[in-house]
């Protein structure tokens, strides 16, 4: 009876040891006496104790962060670049048979590819055209990972660090570019305003009454401000004839006035003409 109980317990223990539960996202790559049986699972898998060995492979997406890499760009600028790689195992057998550790191999190859791709680009491309570099990285890493049974989904450059001196130079360049744009916009505005003023002057010259209405409107706008000083602008077509009449009147009076040898001043002094009195005062 005791022997029977012991044998039954051993059989139950062997049965329990020979059963493996494989999750839905996992596969078991089983070797029997060193020979490959294949990928088993998911569910309940039967294995011979002491004869079968298994390697559990996770088929979920793995997020791999590439540590910052010191890179020299094509225009000789030092930068620190890191990236992120998302991949998953598509063939469990190849991921075990073709490479020792597919995660470490993918990480190392991604680091070397990142240095190579960024080194072929200049700093402006690295900062402004990052999508093109991401595409180059993806093509290179995905092509290399296919023999390992790894499917690369996403490769993205995460962050770019440049020296502080280069940051200040780029800030000065951006400020100069903004000033240039502001001057160009201001010049275009002045050009458009001058064209509009030219058209307005042509319109006003065709209707003199419109100029008078504009003059009255200007006076109304000045009076609405309630300032202590009021400026009355006078058009040149009004001031010009008036100044001409005043000049003609003043020139006529000077022609009618006789020349006097002695002209008294307001302070009681007299002016003596040397041609009349000689040198005597």
């Amino acid at each position: 009876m005791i022997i029977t109980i012991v044998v039954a317990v051993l059989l139950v223990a062997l049965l329990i040891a020979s059963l493996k539960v494989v999750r839905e996202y996992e596969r078991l790559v089983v070797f029997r006496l060193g020979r490959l049986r294949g990928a088993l699972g998911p569910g309940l898998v039967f294995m011979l104790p002491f004869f079968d060995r298994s390697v559990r492979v996770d088929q979920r997406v793995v997020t791999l962060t590439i540590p910052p890499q010191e890179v020299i760009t094509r225009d000789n600028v030092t930068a620190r670049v890191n990236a992120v790689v998302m991949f998953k195992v598509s063939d469990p057998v190849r991921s075990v048979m073709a490479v020792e550790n597919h995660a470490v191999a993918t990480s190392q190859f991604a680091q070397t590819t990142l240095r190579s791709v960024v080194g072929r680009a200049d700093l402006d491309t690295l900062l402004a055209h990052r999508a093109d570099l991401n595409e180059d990285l993806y093509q290179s890493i995905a092509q290399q990972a296919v023999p390992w049974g790894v499917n690369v989904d996403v490769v993205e450059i995460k962050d770019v660090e440049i020296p502080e001196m280069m940051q200040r130079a780029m800030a000065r360049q951006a400020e100069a570019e903004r000033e240039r744009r502001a001057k160009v916009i201001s010049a275009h505005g002045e050009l458009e305003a001058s064209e509009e003023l030219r058209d307005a002057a042509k319109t006003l010259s065709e209707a003199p009454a419109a100029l008078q209405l504009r003059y009255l409107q200007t006076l109304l706008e000045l009076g609405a401000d309630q300032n202590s000083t009021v400026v009355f602008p006078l058009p040149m077509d009004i001031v010009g004839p008036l100044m001409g009449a005043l000049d003609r009147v003043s020139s006529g009076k000077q022609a009618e006035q006789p020349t006097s040898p002695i002209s008294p001043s307001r302070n009681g002094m007299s002016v003596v003409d040397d041609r009349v009195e000689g040198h005597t005062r």
Side-chain angles (χ1 to χ4, degrees), residues 82 92 102 210 246:
N82 61 352
H102 63 273
L246 292 177

Side-chain angles (χ1 to χ4, degrees):
M1 181 64 68
I2 296 175
I3 295 174
T4 304
I5 294 175
V6 171
V7 171
V9 170
L10 290 176
L11 291 176
V12 172
L14 289 175
L15 181 63
I16 294 175
S18 63
L19 296 178
K20 298 289 184 179
V21 177
V22 182
R23 299 180 180 90
E24 186 67 29
Y25 57 85
E26 292 178 338
R27 297 293 184 272
L28 283 182
V29 179
V30 181
F31 296 87
R32 177 169 295 175
L33 296 178
R35 297 183 65 86
L36 177 66
R37 286 186 56 193
L40 305 179
L44 192 62
V45 177
F46 179 79
M47 299 175 57
L48 295 179
F50 309 109
F51 292 96
D52 291 343
R53 294 290 184 270
S54 64
V55 178
R56 194 176 295 267
V57 179
D58 194 336
Q59 290 190 306
R60 292 177 294 180
V61 176
V62 179
T63 302
L64 179 64
T65 301
I66 302 176
Q69 304 294 315
E70 292 286 346
V71 181
I72 299 178
T73 60
R74 188 173 61 181
D75 50 354
N76 297 326
V77 177
T78 304
R80 290 175 58 88
V81 183
N82 61 352
V84 59
V85 179
M86 295 184 180
F87 67 91
K88 63 180 180 180
V89 176
S90 58
D91 190 346
V93 175
R94 295 171 67 180
S95 67
V96 175
M97 298 293 294
V99 65
E100 180 181 2
N101 191 327
H102 63 273
V104 175
T106 304
S107 175
Q108 294 297 323
F109 185 75
Q111 293 180 25
T112 57
T113 305
L114 179 63
R115 292 196 188 102
S116 177
V117 171
V118 175
R120 294 196 301 265
D122 53 10
L123 183 60
D124 293 337
T125 304
L126 180 60
L127 297 176
H129 302 85
R130 193 174 297 182
D132 298 335
L133 298 179
N134 293 335
E135 184 65 23
D136 294 342
L137 287 172
Y138 171 77
Q139 294 294 338
S140 300
I141 298 175
Q143 184 178 1
Q144 179 62 33
V146 168
W148 302 336
V150 175
N151 184 19
V152 178
D153 295 331
V154 177
V155 179
E156 294 284 343
I157 295 178
K158 189 176 180 181
D159 190 16
V160 178
E161 298 180 4
I162 58 177
E164 184 178 358
M165 183 180 300
M166 183 59 62
Q167 294 180 9
R168 291 196 297 267
M170 294 175 62
R172 291 194 301 268
Q173 180 182 1
E175 184 178 359
E177 179 65 20
R178 287 193 296 268
E179 291 180 356
R180 184 188 67 83
R181 293 180 181 178
K183 291 180 180 179
V184 170
I185 293 173
S186 178
H188 282 295
E190 292 180 358
L191 178 60
E192 293 178 0
S194 63
E195 292 177 355
E196 295 295 333
L197 288 175
R198 181 190 60 188
D199 296 338
K202 290 181 179 179
T203 304
L204 291 175
S205 63
E206 295 175 357
L211 184 60
Q212 299 296 330
L213 292 176
R214 180 61 180 168
Y215 171 68
L216 295 176
Q217 184 181 359
T218 304
L219 293 179
L220 180 62
E221 293 176 357
L222 292 174
D225 294 338
Q226 297 181 359
N227 295 327
S228 59
T229 302
V230 178
V231 179
F232 292 96
L234 295 176
M236 292 303 298
D237 56 354
I238 298 176
V239 179
L242 180 60
M243 296 300 294
L246 292 177
D247 292 339
R248 289 193 296 270
V249 172
S250 60
S251 61
K253 289 183 178 180
Q254 291 178 359
E256 295 176 356
Q257 184 178 1
T259 303
S260 174
I262 301 175
S263 59
S265 64
R266 294 182 180 179
N267 295 329
M269 299 177 65
S270 62
V271 179
V272 180
D273 193 355
D274 291 342
R275 293 175 298 177
V276 178
E277 301 292 338
H279 295 284
T280 304
R281 297 291 186 269

